[in-house]
Amino acid sequence: MSPLRVSYQTIEFGDVDIHLRTLRDKQEFLDAKGIAEKLGISSAQWSLFGVVWPASEVLANFMSDFAIKDKHILEIGCGIGLTSLMLNQRNADITATDYHPEAGSFLEQNVILNKGRAIPFVQTGWADDLSALGKFDLILGSDLLYEDEHADLLSQFIHQHSKPHCEVIIVDPGRGRHASFSKMMVRLGYTHHQFKPIHTDYLTNEFKGQILSYAR
């Protein structure tokens, strides 16, 4: 089996450059020991963690000047970790999670590439019992609602790891499931509003999604 092919790119946030080692494209696949397969990650889904998606760029740009002082922050489904890496450069107290077995190693190498502090990483699924992960002041994520059942799983995972006063920012590219997710979040005691990102000229194509904001 041939090794993974990777590429390197730099994404700018004002005067901050984030250097990324990503998969070369979405055709890359390497699961020699069947670890991802045992987790339910198919060969078609395997590469999705390792590329930069428009929603992740929107989230990272939105968080580039967001108030983060004294906030314990969690990024859910971090994928290649763009937002976590950018917040790390801002000296944020950031922890990253993802279900993919390779996400942690790519994040670690990208931290080194950016000469940053180590970012705590936990490999977890939303249905996993991981109370040791702790509770957070600010919870972030992008492009998370792929399947119908994700609305329930994600809202419960967020609720499990939210402090009594917590902000939640989710960037949804418009997959048609954010309404049911928002209803579940409101049911759990969170206020909700959503809005279009203002400036997305850094993207190749028009962004048709929304930034979903919740608080309690």
Side-chain angles (χ1 to χ4, degrees):
M1 188 175 291
S2 59
L4 287 176
R5 299 182 70 183
V6 300
S7 64
Y8 292 85
Q9 61 183 289
T10 297
I11 298 181
E12 300 178 6
F13 301 93
D15 58 356
V16 175
D17 292 338
I18 298 298
H19 310 295
L20 290 175
R21 174 183 179 269
T22 69
L23 295 178
R24 184 172 180 266
D25 53 45
K26 293 192 286 289
Q27 305 308 312
E28 299 301 314
F29 174 73
L30 183 61
D31 189 28
K33 296 181 180 179
I35 296 172
E37 185 180 8
K38 291 175 183 175
L39 293 171
I41 301 171
S42 69
S43 58
Q45 299 169 318
W46 191 92
S47 66
L48 301 184
F49 85 97
V51 295
V52 178
W53 293 91
S56 69
E57 288 194 69
V58 171
L59 178 62
N61 274 276
F62 185 69
M63 298 308 300
S64 64
D65 59 359
F66 197 87
I68 58 171
K69 185 179 180 181
D70 299 326
K71 291 179 181 176
H72 190 35
I73 307 170
L74 175 67
E75 184 181 9
I76 300 172
C78 69
I80 206 64
L82 176 60
T83 296
S84 288
L85 290 162
M86 186 277 300
L87 287 172
N88 201 41
Q89 292 298 103
R90 294 187 62 197
N91 296 312
D93 176 8
I94 178 72
T95 296
T97 70
D98 200 279
Y99 193 50
H100 200 287
E102 295 295 329
S105 62
F106 268 77
L107 181 64
E108 182 178 2
Q109 292 176 64
N110 278 320
V111 166
I112 294 170
L113 193 61
N114 287 278
K115 298 180 173 61
R117 302 171 303 159
I119 297 175
F121 175 85
V122 178
Q123 183 186 343
T124 178
W126 300 337
D128 294 350
D129 182 12
L130 266 182
S131 57
L133 185 60
K135 295 183 182 292
F136 297 82
D137 303 290
L138 176 60
I139 297 178
L140 314 170
S142 62
D143 204 354
L144 301 178
L145 299 166
Y146 274 87
E147 307 291 345
D148 289 341
E149 64 268 23
H150 288 171
D152 180 52
L153 288 173
L154 179 59
S155 60
Q156 292 296 333
F157 184 85
I158 288 172
H159 191 56
Q160 180 185 0
H161 298 294
S162 297
K163 287 186 177 180
H165 296 282
C166 180
E167 295 174 89
V168 180
I169 304 292
I170 305 292
V171 176
D172 184 79
R175 297 187 185 276
R177 297 181 180 88
H178 69 78
S180 58
F181 171 72
S182 292
K183 287 178 183 177
M184 291 177 184
M185 290 293 287
V186 169
R187 217 173 282 147
L188 289 168
Y190 298 79
T191 59
H192 158 241
H193 73 282
Q194 61 193 55
F195 50 93
K196 297 280 289 185
I198 298 173
H199 301 295
T200 57
D201 52 351
Y202 48 84
L203 298 177
T204 303
N205 299 311
E206 178 189 359
F207 186 73
K208 298 180 179 180
Q210 303 269 349
I211 297 175
L212 313 176
S213 176
Y214 310 89
R216 68 165 184 167

